[in-house]
Amino acid sequence: MADGTAEAGVSRLPAEADRASTARTLGDRIEALPNALRVSVMLFFWLAVWYGVVELFGVSKDFLPNPIDVISRIVRLAWEPVGAGPLLTHAWASIVRLLWGFGAAIVIGVPLGLAMAYFRPLQWIVAPLFELFRYIPPIAWAPFAMFWFGAGSSAQAYVIFTSSFAPILINSFRGVQLVDSRLIDAARTLGAKSWTILFEVALPAALPHVVTGLRIGLATGWMALIAAEIVAGTGSRDGLGYLILQGQQQLHADLTIGAMVLIGILGSLIDLAIRAVEGRFAYWRS
Amino acid sequence: MNGSARSNALARALFGALSVGSLLFTWWLVTSLELVKPLILPPPSDVWVGFLDIWHGYLNVPFWNHFLASISVMLGGYAMAIAIGVPLGIFMAWNRAVDWVVGPLLQILRPIPPPAWIPLAILWFGIGYAGKIFIVFIAAAVPCILNSYLAIKQTPPELLSSARSLGAKPHTLLFEVAIPSGLPTIMTGLRIALGIAWASIVAAELVVSLAGFGFLIMNGYRNLESNIVFVGMAAVALLGLLMNLVFHRIERAMLPWREDQDNG
């Protein structure tokens, strides 16, 4: 977990640094190694532990396959179809659903959040409704989504929408609310009209918060997507969540675990991408 | 100033009552005029019938069985996540060797969404309570570990060095400086974990279960009884709200020095 962000606290105290320069222990030498090397060695170690446990205790393949089985299953998934098709079909189906639900949440959540901060009556109208629905876990919407849209992609996209919507709305709202009021006063003193203030002062200042909301919304949406594909996936025969479920129903644990790994990797990539976007928007907010 | 604040509060209450009231009225109107089918949106009277049905034992399962099934499994997994996650996070932050060994494993497991574990949990532990406790544990442990880790790592260095210069031993530094100073961050992690744990147990029960609120919701779906689904969702939301309120009380009692600065 040593990703450099939280290093400032315990381990980098001056006293320790002094000690390190006089007597280099084994720990200090390991610390001096590149992060990537340390992490890869440890991951290899954990894979070896996994392999060792499976082989040593003769664990059944249906229960817990060894890592080589899982990796070879992932590789075979590239061309061997399961359900609707091979890996790309499923990954693509999941991403399209995610984008539908997430897109709808942006289209409704961002303008509504901004407007709520700008027109107080709207805030008074929407906030109680929002509180009313807030404690319903997104996945609990799945049955109604299936009543409304049928058990397929639209129902899954709706579940993603309910999951992404709240963080996007809240962060857009907060973004405008937290705009430094001196900025607005200054613009007003200089004779700016309220539309100018909205589009040239408030919105640019709120933008980093909005983008943070999008990042959180995408992450919660991804989580909801997998849940929706497992719970509400009966109608569609594609998606990464479908792969997990297929593995369980056919007692192919290698497929289930392989799909979990793929979901983790794809989720991390999506998160990395949007963090890069977020970094670009946040550059003036030192 | 005071007067305008009061009239603001009044307007807020008025608008709030108006919006919730008109939502309820619209619900009543469109269902009683039969503009939408009861399957799409059950009328209030059906929801009341569904509530009584569940209260008196829907499908011959008493209401309290559902309540106990969901709550006990969820609290069991949550307690396990706290008992293992918080010490692990603290230990990782305090001892770099532990961080090197455990950190990469957690980094790999963390991006896997909790619901993705449901089929594996069924495969490993069957459809009973053990599998659901496992899912709740997996889901809730992540924020427990992460926030405890951050809490210790973010101890202000000047606190540590001044305690050290006063002759504090390492375990005094940990237990009397780092942990108390990080307690708010740890509690935030526990609060996040609470919400995730509750959502996870509902998701797990939706996939497979013999009792619990997720069971109610899913059975309502299978029997095309949207009013049962509605009541199940409302119960889940209400309990989620109640647990959050209880947690807030506990948090305030544990962190009396912190003024009510809510950070989400």
Side-chain angles (χ1 to χ4, degrees):
Chain A
M1 232 181 253
D3 50 9
T5 52
E7 288 279 295
V10 179
S11 57
R12 297 240 183 273
L13 292 175
E16 282 198 356
D18 284 350
R19 191 170 52 95
S21 64
T22 50
R24 278 173 66 86
T25 60
L26 180 64
D28 294 324
R29 287 206 190 137
I30 297 176
E31 175 136 40
L33 293 174
N35 228 333
L37 179 68
R38 228 172 31 224
V39 171
S40 348
V41 168
M42 280 328 297
L43 285 180
F44 193 77
F45 163 77
W46 284 113
L47 284 178
V49 168
W50 175 5
Y51 189 89
V53 167
V54 171
E55 294 305 307
L56 213 64
F57 296 100
V59 181
S60 153
K61 250 188 168 154
D62 300 334
F63 191 79
L64 179 63
N66 71 38
I68 295 174
D69 291 336
V70 171
I71 292 168
S72 79
R73 180 74 213 205
I74 291 175
V75 173
R76 273 189 292 138
L77 212 49
W79 65 86
E80 258 181 32
V82 175
L87 177 60
L88 271 183
T89 314
H90 296 288
W92 181 244
S94 288
I95 288 177
V96 168
R97 271 169 213 149
L98 178 69
L99 290 181
W100 272 112
F102 180 61
I106 294 177
V107 168
I108 301 175
V110 172
L112 187 60
L114 297 176
M116 274 168 69
Y118 223 69
F119 308 109
R120 201 168 280 181
L122 191 64
Q123 178 197 332
W124 293 333
I125 290 173
V126 177
L129 299 179
F130 185 76
E131 288 296 314
L132 208 58
F133 291 103
R134 198 179 131 182
Y135 284 96
I136 301 174
I139 192 57
W141 283 100
F144 264 112
M146 291 188 283
F147 285 149
W148 294 339
F149 305 109
S153 282
S154 310
Q156 294 163 345
Y158 177 78
V159 172
I160 295 162
F161 166 80
T162 60
S163 175
S164 299
F165 182 68
I168 291 177
L169 179 83
I170 291 173
N171 278 284
S172 306
F173 173 71
R174 281 245 176 118
V176 177
Q177 259 205 337
L178 294 178
V179 172
D180 191 345
S181 60
R182 281 172 304 179
L183 286 181
I184 292 176
D185 290 343
R188 194 168 287 150
T189 314
L190 294 168
K193 299 218 170 56
S194 63
W195 280 117
T196 320
I197 293 177
L198 175 62
F199 282 105
E200 294 184 18
V201 181
L203 287 190
L207 200 56
H209 284 276
V210 175
V211 178
T212 299
L214 298 190
R215 174 171 63 76
I216 301 171
L218 196 59
T220 58
W222 180 249
M223 209 186 284
L225 162 77
I226 302 305
E229 285 180 339
I230 291 172
V231 173
T234 43
S236 56
R237 296 176 62 239
D238 51 13
L240 294 169
Y242 170 83
L243 288 183
I244 294 188
L245 203 58
Q246 277 304 301
Q248 181 233 327
Q249 287 170 355
Q250 301 172 2
L251 292 179
H252 288 156
D254 55 343
L255 180 59
T256 295
I257 297 175
M260 288 169 69
V261 171
L262 289 168
I263 287 167
I265 293 173
L266 200 54
S268 305
L269 289 180
I270 293 173
D271 194 57
L272 274 180
I274 194 154
R275 266 177 206 277
V277 175
E278 190 182 19
R280 301 201 70 161
F281 276 106
Y283 65 94
W284 68 77
R285 179 181 64 159
S286 53
Chain B
M1 205 55 197
N2 207 350
S4 92
R6 189 175 301 157
S7 71
N8 254 349
L10 191 69
R12 177 194 291 262
L14 210 67
F15 273 96
L18 212 67
S19 78
V20 174
S22 49
L23 181 77
L24 295 178
F25 180 74
T26 315
W27 175 27
W28 173 80
L29 196 69
V30 296
T31 50
S32 64
L33 293 179
E34 295 178 18
L35 296 176
V36 294
K37 281 186 284 182
L39 181 68
I40 301 295
L41 184 64
S45 54
D46 274 14
V47 169
W48 177 244
V49 170
F51 170 73
L52 290 178
D53 203 2
I54 289 173
W55 187 253
H56 295 305
Y58 175 68
L59 299 177
N60 291 324
V61 181
F63 170 79
W64 291 105
N65 281 21
H66 297 299
F67 177 82
L68 279 178
S70 292
I71 291 283
S72 61
V73 169
M74 181 254 167
L75 289 181
Y78 182 54
M80 264 173 68
I82 295 175
I84 296 175
V86 173
L88 182 62
I90 291 173
F91 205 38
M92 280 171 65
W94 197 248
N95 186 317
R96 57 189 176 178
V98 178
D99 194 2
W100 294 333
V101 175
V102 184
L105 183 65
L106 290 176
Q107 291 287 36
I108 287 290
L109 294 180
R110 191 161 67 115
I112 300 174
W117 287 92
I118 294 173
L120 203 58
I122 296 170
L123 201 66
W124 285 350
F125 299 101
I127 62 169
Y129 290 145
K132 295 192 179 68
I133 290 182
F134 174 76
I135 292 165
V136 173
F137 168 75
I138 289 273
V142 172
C144 289
I145 298 172
L146 217 62
N147 274 53
S148 308
Y149 180 87
L150 280 181
I152 301 300
K153 281 287 187 190
Q154 287 171 344
T155 312
E158 61 271 19
L159 282 187
L160 286 172
S161 45
S162 49
R164 190 173 290 152
S165 70
L166 292 169
K169 297 215 169 57
H171 85 269
T172 317
L173 283 182
L174 177 61
F175 286 102
E176 291 181 22
V177 181
I179 292 179
S181 111
L183 203 53
T185 309
I186 296 176
M187 290 304 282
T188 303
L190 299 194
R191 175 144 47 105
I192 298 169
L194 183 72
I196 296 180
W198 187 231
S200 305
I201 183 63
V202 173
E205 287 174 349
L206 285 176
V207 177
V208 58
S209 57
L210 303 169
F213 293 110
F215 167 86
L216 279 179
I217 294 175
M218 213 54 200
N219 262 284
Y221 169 69
R222 292 210 186 94
N223 301 334
L224 301 181
E225 292 171 312
S226 64
N227 56 340
I228 299 288
V229 176
F230 191 112
V231 176
M233 285 170 74
V236 166
L238 200 63
L239 278 170
L241 172 69
L242 283 179
M243 281 191 278
N244 218 33
L245 288 178
V246 170
F247 189 89
H248 212 77
R249 275 286 176 84
I250 296 174
E251 195 177 19
R252 290 228 327 231
M254 281 184 72
L255 308 168
W257 64 89
R258 200 167 68 139
E259 292 296 317
D260 219 1
Q261 36 170 295
D262 221 304
N263 46 9

